[in-house]
């Protein structure tokens, strides 16, 4: 397991500066096992792609976005390909008006610059001017719109078993009736509970997990054709059309830039 970005004593303590920001660049994959800390964490990338998983869902974070993880939430992280990124750890007292569930936020130019400035603080002691920057960062987290790049996980054990299987093998094309028989539940019940617990039909959920996995594979250097085949699409054209319709860019463009369209320049969030 890689070393933590900040000392574990700081991450685990509600005391100390209101915000601690750090930046990281690595040519190797970064994988952290599931853990939790007292501080909320906003994490993003400047190059590369990161995926974050909690008990509540999975998120894929391109360079245009960041994921917010509230205090105390168990989470794990994995980068895909060479990675340059950053994290801002927010003290619990400053999180009271922030989202209480993990979510994806678009990264504004202001937010990116504030993180870069706060990352230059070497002793974790904020001056009055730096404290004002920390307050700007907290305001940016609290007012940013949420994007739908996440994948909610159901809580019902049998429905969750299906979701986990699809997460591990997105190319699995079993029909609703086959999944229902696999977990010993009526097809209509499985369908109804999937929608109730995730907001999506089984077909929509599978489509989303395929797109999230596609982003990971493209960031890792896979060709568009190989990604389409590995995810169970009948042909590359169908995969490209779906990717562009849902994410506002083509798989090839995303692979070359590692970015989704900025807010206002395309549909940068999956449509439900």
């Amino acid at each position: 397991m890689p070393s933590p970005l900040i000392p574990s004593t700081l991450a685990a303590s509600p005391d100390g500066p209101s915000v601690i920001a750090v930046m990281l660049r690595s040519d190797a994959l970064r994988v952290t096992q599931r853990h939790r800390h007292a501080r909320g964490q906003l994490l993003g990338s400047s190059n590369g792609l990161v995926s974050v998983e909690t008990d509540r869902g999975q998120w894929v974070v391109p360079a245009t976005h960041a994921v917010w993880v509230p205090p105390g939430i168990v989470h794990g992280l994995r980068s895909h390909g060479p990675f340059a990124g950053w994290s801002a750890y927010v003290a619990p007292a400053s999180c009271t008006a922030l989202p209480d569930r993990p979510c994806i936020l678009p990264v504004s130019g202001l937010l990116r610059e504030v993180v870069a400035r706060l990352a230059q603080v070497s002793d974790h002691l904020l001056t009055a001017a730096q404290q004002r920057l920390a307050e700007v960062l907290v305001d940016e987290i609290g007012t940013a719109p949420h994007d739908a790049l996440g994948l909610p996980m159901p809580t019902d054990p049998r429905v969750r078993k299906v979701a986990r299987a699809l997460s591990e093998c997105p190319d699995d094309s079993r029909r609703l009736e086959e999944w229902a028989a696999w977990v010993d539940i009526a097809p209509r019940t499985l369908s109804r509970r999937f929608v109730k617990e995730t907001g999506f039909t089984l077909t929509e959920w599978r489509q989303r997990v395929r797109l999230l996995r596609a982003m990971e594979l493209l960031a890792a250097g896979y060709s568009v054709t190989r990604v389409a085949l590995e995810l169970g699409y009948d042909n590359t054209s169908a995969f490209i059309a779906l990717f562009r319709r849902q994410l506002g860019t083509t798989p090839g463009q995303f692979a070359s830039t590692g970015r989704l369209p900025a807010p206002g320049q395309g549909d940068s969030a999956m449509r439900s």
Side-chain angles (χ1 to χ4, degrees), residues 117-147:
R117 290 282 296 276
L118 291 176
Q120 296 174 11
V121 178
S122 59
D123 54 6
H124 304 309
L125 296 176
L126 303 181
T127 65
Q130 291 164 342
Q131 178 58 38
R132 290 193 291 272
L133 284 177
E135 292 168 359
V136 170
L137 184 145
V138 172
D139 286 342
E140 285 290 288
I141 298 173
T143 58
H146 298 182
D147 271 344

Side-chain angles (χ1 to χ4, degrees), residues 34 52-59 102 150-153 160:
R34 287 194 169 200
V52 178
E53 182 175 354
T54 75
D55 289 337
R56 301 181 181 183
Q58 304 170 42
W59 291 264
L151 191 64
M153 291 295 289
R160 192 178 185 89

Side-chain angles (χ1 to χ4, degrees), residues 1 32-37 41 72-77 89:
M1 181 173 178
T32 63
Q33 301 301 319
R34 287 194 169 200
H35 62 285
R36 72 173 81 197
H37 33 70
Q41 182 180 8
I73 298 293
V74 177
H75 60 285
L77 174 148
Y89 297 85

Side-chain angles (χ1 to χ4, degrees), residues 6 42 52 68 74 88 92 115 125 132 139 145 148 155 164-165 171 177 191 217 248-249 263 270:
I6 66 172
L42 182 72
V52 178
W68 167 248
V74 177
V115 170
L125 296 176
R132 290 193 291 272
D139 286 342
T155 57
R164 284 291 186 191
D171 60 327
E177 293 77 11
S191 176
L217 295 175
T249 188
M270 294 186 191

Side-chain angles (χ1 to χ4, degrees), residues 177-197:
E177 293 77 11
E178 294 173 296
W179 284 116
W182 184 59
V183 294
D184 192 24
I185 192 174
R188 182 175 297 181
T189 301
L190 176 61
S191 176
R192 184 174 62 251
R193 290 185 180 174
F194 227 103
V195 172
K196 180 180 179 180
E197 297 203 14

Side-chain angles (χ1 to χ4, degrees), residues 14-254:
D15 303 320
S18 59
V19 173
I20 301 171
V22 291
M23 306 192 80
L24 171 72
R25 180 178 295 275
S26 174
D27 292 330
L29 295 179
R30 182 174 179 84
V31 180
T32 63
Q33 301 301 319
R34 287 194 169 200
H35 62 285
R36 72 173 81 197
H37 33 70
R39 288 176 172 264
Q41 182 180 8
L42 182 72
L43 60 94
S45 66
S46 50
N47 289 291
L49 192 75
V50 174
S51 58
V52 178
E53 182 175 354
T54 75
D55 289 337
R56 301 181 181 183
Q58 304 170 42
W59 291 264
V60 168
V61 192
T64 48
H65 292 71
V67 62
W68 167 248
V69 181
I73 298 293
V74 177
H75 60 285
L77 174 148
R78 179 182 178 86
S79 67
H80 303 273
F83 173 72
W86 51 267
S87 279
Y89 297 85
V90 183
S94 298
C95 294
T96 54
L98 301 184
D100 61 359
R101 295 187 178 186
C103 58
I104 290 285
L105 311 173
V107 176
S108 66
L110 174 60
L111 177 58
R112 199 178 296 276
E113 287 302 317
V114 168
V115 170
R117 290 282 296 276
L118 291 176
Q120 296 174 11
V121 178
S122 59
D123 54 6
H124 304 309
L125 296 176
L126 303 181
T127 65
Q130 291 164 342
Q131 178 58 38
R132 290 193 291 272
L133 284 177
E135 292 168 359
V136 170
L137 184 145
V138 172
D139 286 342
E140 285 290 288
I141 298 173
T143 58
H146 298 182
D147 271 344
L149 287 169
L151 191 64
M153 291 295 289
T155 57
D156 179 285
R158 288 177 291 183
V159 181
R160 192 178 185 89
K161 184 177 179 181
V162 174
R164 284 291 186 191
L166 281 171
S167 295
E168 295 169 2
C169 298
D171 60 327
D172 195 319
S173 59
R174 275 181 278 183
R175 295 177 294 109
L176 173 67
E177 293 77 11
E178 294 173 296
W179 284 116
W182 184 59
V183 294
D184 192 24
I185 192 174
R188 182 175 297 181
T189 301
L190 176 61
S191 176
R192 184 174 62 251
R193 290 185 180 174
F194 227 103
V195 172
K196 180 180 179 180
E197 297 203 14
T198 70
F200 302 100
T201 66
L202 175 62
T203 298
E204 291 169 341
W205 201 94
R206 174 165 45 203
Q207 181 184 88
R208 291 171 71 86
V209 77
R210 285 180 174 180
L211 286 172
L212 294 180
R213 183 63 57 83
M215 293 170 68
E216 295 175 351
L217 295 175
L218 290 167
Y222 285 49
S223 70
V224 173
T225 298
R226 182 177 176 185
V227 172
L229 294 175
E230 291 220 1
L231 295 180
Y233 289 95
D234 293 333
N235 59 75
T236 304
S237 296
F239 166 62
I240 294 173
L242 176 65
F243 194 98
R244 184 169 190 171
R245 185 170 67 250
Q246 294 291 333
L247 297 174
T249 188
T250 66
Q253 290 169 335
F254 175 79

